[in-house]
Amino acid sequence: MKAITDIIKNSENILILSHKNPDGDALGSSLGLALALEKIGKKVSCFSVNKIPPVFGFLPGVEMFEKQKGFVNYDLVILLDCAVFKRTGIENIFGLVASFDKLLIIDHHPRTEVEFYENAQEWIDEKKAATAVMIYELLEEMDIAIDKRIATCLLTGIFTDTGGFQHNNTDGVTLRAAAQLMKKGPRIEKIAKGIFNSKNIAAIKLWGTALSRIETDVATGMAVSYVNQSDIEEAGASQDDLAGLVSVINTVSDAKFSLLLTEYDDQKIKGSLRSEEYKGVDVSKIARQLGGGGHKLASGFEVEGDLKKSVERITRLVLSLKEKEMGIVAKAE
Ligand SMILES: [Mn+2]
């Protein structure tokens, strides 16, 4: 931890990056850290290749993403909520970092991809429920006073990555961090409303279309649905409106895991997989068979081709997977 706090203390002009298609943890931990580092006099920039989804518009400091124009000379780049540059979606990183000893990685995902960055500082802890929990611990260590704005960002990261404190990653460490952050004044119901409980009518209709298409497969325990580009256009919705849908598909009582396929561009399909601890399936193993990755209970992949054919192809692939390949473990009763 000391090497990490030292490299931050000794840097003045810092760039914070996270993965493309940022979620609440990517944005919350980035902004929480950015606001905290500004407080101790650092010049901080945040960058995402994507537009920030409107549901996260309430995050304090979110305008820091808008202000980012070109890249200047940074003396430290911090990569959050992912461990490889590829995940940022930035084509050429070499213009960003003069050398990798000016790189700090903080992440809580299991390592599935490795890019070698000589002398980079890394703090990777798979046990942490969210990167935001790690940022909370870092700020404590650095003795930076957490104010309401910082707390709101970090609590949002924790809240989203735990599915509103419902996933099995919600442990004592997570709740303690959340409790300490709540003392600083963020309103949990505002965060909840912002993220889960306010959907526009277009989004609800799009969800309806996808939900009406759910099919289940008894052999694998898969509940699957899909959304194509014309569904999104006809509903007047956007890709962002699909966040959370795969978890709803996973509530089918007999489903061991859920799969949502989204056609996000011509012939480009994104797959999202979800399961629950007690269901005994490791969906990251399925995602990896398709060139993707992620957590045991939440994973994703990208494939190319016709959506309908992909649904069939992936269903066949899942059907063909041996129990071992799906990570299904017989549970002792
Ligand atoms: Mn995360």
Side-chain angles (χ1 to χ4, degrees):
M1 189 66 115
K2 182 160 187 312
I4 292 170
T5 55
D6 278 352
I7 194 172
I8 294 174
K9 280 179 196 156
N10 295 330
S11 304
E12 293 309 321
N13 196 7
I14 299 169
L15 173 65
I16 297 175
L17 297 175
S18 187
H19 54 81
K20 61 181 171 182
N21 305 318
D23 55 18
D25 190 30
L27 296 170
S29 56
S30 294
L31 291 171
L33 179 60
L35 294 171
L37 295 182
E38 277 191 340
K39 269 183 91 167
I40 58 165
K42 307 294 181 189
K43 241 185 111 208
V44 190
S45 306
C46 295
F47 177 77
S48 173
V49 291
N50 302 104
K51 267 193 76 182
I52 305 308
V55 286
F56 295 115
F58 73 93
L59 284 174
V62 72
E63 68 285 350
M64 291 176 83
F65 281 95
E66 307 293 327
K67 276 190 286 186
Q68 179 62 46
K69 294 282 189 293
F71 295 119
V72 287
N73 293 325
Y74 300 102
D75 46 19
L76 178 64
V77 175
I78 306 179
L79 193 55
L80 291 182
D81 204 39
C82 61
V84 292
F85 266 113
K86 205 169 79 183
R87 297 272 292 119
T88 65
I90 298 171
E91 295 285 330
N92 182 7
I93 55 135
F94 299 101
L96 283 180
V97 246
S99 63
F100 289 129
D101 55 358
K102 304 291 183 207
L103 174 64
L104 168 61
I105 297 169
I106 301 176
D107 188 23
H108 70 123
H109 291 90
R111 283 217 112 148
T112 50
E113 302 168 288
V114 179
E115 287 175 359
F116 187 66
Y117 311 120
E118 201 179 357
N119 297 327
Q121 294 289 339
E122 280 190 2
W123 178 25
I124 293 175
D125 188 348
E126 287 180 35
K127 291 207 175 69
K128 293 284 152 58
T131 299
V133 174
M134 302 171 78
I135 300 301
Y136 164 74
E137 290 174 358
L138 177 71
L139 300 187
E140 290 267 278
E141 184 71 24
M142 293 183 74
D143 236 344
I144 302 176
I146 295 176
D147 57 27
K148 186 181 173 182
R149 300 176 78 216
I150 298 168
T152 300
C153 293
L154 297 181
L155 194 58
T156 299
I158 297 172
F159 193 79
T160 48
D161 263 21
T162 57
F165 304 111
Q166 293 180 67
H167 297 336
N168 79 313
N169 58 0
T170 311
D171 58 7
V173 172
T174 314
L175 289 176
R176 183 189 163 270
Q180 296 300 323
L181 292 168
M182 282 199 71
K183 285 185 192 164
K184 309 296 176 189
R187 300 267 303 275
I188 199 87
E189 79 279 17
K190 270 196 184 169
I191 295 172
K193 187 170 189 298
I195 295 166
F196 295 134
N197 303 336
S198 69
K199 297 217 181 310
N200 58 55
I201 187 132
I204 302 262
K205 285 186 174 176
L206 183 60
W207 281 42
T209 303
L211 293 174
S212 70
R213 282 182 191 147
I214 293 181
E215 287 190 34
T216 54
D217 179 77
V218 181
T220 55
M222 175 169 71
V224 58
S225 188
Y226 62 90
V227 171
N228 54 40
Q229 277 188 290
S230 58
D231 295 327
I232 297 172
E233 278 160 30
E234 277 164 28
S238 74
Q239 294 284 337
D240 301 332
D241 292 323
L242 293 168
L245 174 57
V246 67
S247 300
V248 174
I249 298 172
N250 199 35
T251 60
V252 174
S253 62
D254 294 332
K256 284 205 161 75
F257 66 97
S258 58
L259 169 64
L260 175 68
L261 293 166
T262 309
E263 183 189 38
Y264 66 92
D265 207 342
D266 279 338
Q267 303 280 307
K268 287 196 194 299
I269 297 154
K270 200 176 90 178
S272 305
L273 290 153
R274 291 292 183 280
S275 190
E276 299 283 347
E277 182 72 19
Y278 70 92
K279 293 179 175 177
V281 176
D282 180 349
V283 290
S284 72
K285 296 197 173 175
I286 301 169
R288 254 175 265 157
Q289 299 269 346
L290 291 154
H295 292 289
K296 200 172 137 190
L297 304 178
S299 296
F301 57 86
E302 287 180 10
V303 289
E304 289 193 13
D306 175 75
L307 181 67
K308 278 267 171 60
K309 283 188 184 138
S310 294
V311 175
E312 287 163 24
R313 185 169 72 86
I314 291 162
T315 305
R316 273 201 309 275
L317 174 108
V318 173
L319 278 169
S320 74
L321 290 176
K322 303 276 182 301
E323 289 203 335
K324 205 175 115 233
E325 290 161 339
M326 283 173 53
I328 295 177
V329 279
K331 289 244 156 141
E333 292 299 321

